[in-house]
Amino acid sequence: MEAFKIQYNKALETPGYEKSFRTLRLNTWSYEFSRWINIDKWDACKKNIDLDDLKGRPCYGGLDLSSTTDVTAFMLVFPPIEEDEPYIVLPYFWIPHDTILERVRRDGVPYDEWLDKGLVFATEGNVIHYGYIERFIDDLGKIYNIKEIAFDRWGAVQMTQNLEGMGFTVVPFGQGFASMSPPIKELMKLILGETIAHDGNEVLRWMIDNVYVKTDEAENIKFDKAKSTERIDGAVALVMALDRAIRNGNKDIESVYDDRGIIVI
């Protein structure tokens, strides 16, 4: 009975485990898809983040490159330096400028308000300007020590090549159960334990709340864009960045510049 209570409380806290609880503990059929997490748990991880304290610190990026007309998300995750520190998340989002009002009317999502608050950035025109995002990430790399950038293989070949040309280490990241399940489960543990910190960014909160997950027979999970209610690009980028941050932590990654310095021509 004690184990049953533990599993029951876990299902209450994390909707993504509800299917498993209903199937294995209650012997009832349930939907293949379920909401991932109670948004109140995410809200509890909101902290005041001092950007100056993060300058020069090792961090890892996750890039979810949208189609040319949708939201593109880039996340930076800073692994803890001390044992009692949380992982820290910095989110960035881009949308095409000329389609903002149309999207507000069509989707009922306040992109215009988020733009005014500086929570999203608008690129010129009616499609995403990837060159603008590349330069933005390049500028971030001058402030923070971005060790790696993980990216979805689909549709990101040219941009990742350009980022490599700027000196970044880019890592392809699969979107299936094998790649996504471990970091998603780790992210859930961090959220429930309040050992991940964010600044309450409204766009990222909206995307986290949109996430539905799909579970396979082995209880592996992955985010499902088709079943999620709205955009989840930020959540996907966060999982990819967190995976690299957990794998590598604060260990130094050698650079060719360490030995020979920068050659000026």
Side-chain angles (χ1 to χ4, degrees):
M1 181 56 68
E2 189 62 31
F4 185 90
K5 290 179 179 178
I6 292 173
Q7 292 297 320
Y8 170 73
N9 289 326
K10 184 177 182 181
L12 288 179
E13 288 187 334
T14 54
Y17 283 102
E18 181 180 350
K19 174 180 178 291
S20 176
F21 177 77
R22 287 182 178 275
T23 303
L24 301 179
R25 293 289 184 174
L26 303 182
N27 195 31
T28 59
W29 179 87
S30 61
Y31 291 106
E32 185 179 15
F33 300 92
S34 60
R35 185 176 290 276
W36 178 51
I37 199 165
N38 185 331
I39 197 60
D40 291 340
K41 300 297 181 181
W42 174 258
D43 291 340
C45 297
K46 180 180 177 181
K47 301 288 189 302
N48 291 323
I49 297 175
D50 190 337
L51 297 181
D52 288 335
D53 289 343
L54 299 177
K55 289 181 178 179
R57 273 185 54 170
C59 60
Y60 297 84
L63 176 64
D64 192 39
L65 195 63
S66 69
S67 67
T68 57
T69 58
D70 282 322
V71 182
T72 287
F74 182 66
M75 298 288 130
L76 287 180
V77 172
F78 296 77
I81 296 177
E82 304 294 337
E83 289 187 4
D84 59 344
E85 287 184 342
Y87 286 83
I88 297 173
V89 179
L90 295 185
Y92 304 91
F93 302 97
W94 295 270
I95 53 177
H97 179 274
D98 293 354
T99 62
I100 291 176
L101 295 181
E102 176 188 344
R103 293 175 66 90
V104 171
R105 289 191 297 267
R106 184 189 67 198
D107 303 334
V109 178
Y111 291 106
D112 53 343
E113 295 179 14
W114 290 340
L115 180 65
D116 291 339
K117 292 178 180 179
L119 300 178
V120 299
F121 300 97
T123 67
E124 293 182 1
N126 59 1
V127 296
I128 287 287
H129 193 302
Y130 293 149
Y132 176 90
I133 297 175
E134 292 166 7
R135 292 192 296 272
F136 193 101
I137 294 175
D138 191 35
D139 289 339
L140 287 177
K142 298 171 184 175
I143 302 172
Y144 309 114
N145 186 5
I146 303 176
K147 296 292 190 180
E148 293 180 355
I149 297 174
F151 68 97
D152 180 358
R153 298 182 183 92
W154 184 86
V157 175
Q158 185 59 56
M159 188 169 183
T160 53
Q161 289 177 347
N162 294 342
L163 290 173
E164 281 185 325
M166 294 175 178
F168 291 103
T169 299
V170 295
V171 180
F173 200 97
Q175 302 298 296
F177 285 110
S179 298
M180 295 295 285
S181 186
I184 289 175
K185 290 180 178 180
E186 286 300 320
L187 177 56
M188 181 175 290
K189 290 179 184 177
L190 294 176
I191 294 172
L192 295 178
E194 296 183 23
T195 47
I196 191 167
H198 58 81
D199 64 359
N201 182 286
E202 297 173 28
V203 186
L204 181 56
R205 181 187 188 275
W206 172 66
M207 291 182 174
I208 292 290
D209 197 33
N210 289 336
V211 172
Y212 275 70
V213 293
K214 183 176 182 179
T215 308
D216 69 6
E217 295 178 354
E219 296 302 315
N220 295 308
I221 60 176
K222 68 175 182 176
F223 294 163
D224 192 273
K225 290 187 176 183
K227 295 296 181 179
S228 297
T229 54
E230 289 285 355
R231 307 301 311 178
I232 63 170
D233 312 81
V236 174
L238 173 56
V239 167
M240 293 191 290
L242 178 64
D243 178 87
R244 306 314 301 171
I246 291 175
R247 288 176 185 273
N248 296 298
N250 283 296
K251 72 180 183 180
D252 290 330
I253 298 177
E254 294 183 357
S255 168
V256 294
Y257 301 122
D258 294 338
D259 296 326
R260 64 167 173 78
I262 298 176
I263 298 175
V264 179
I265 301 177

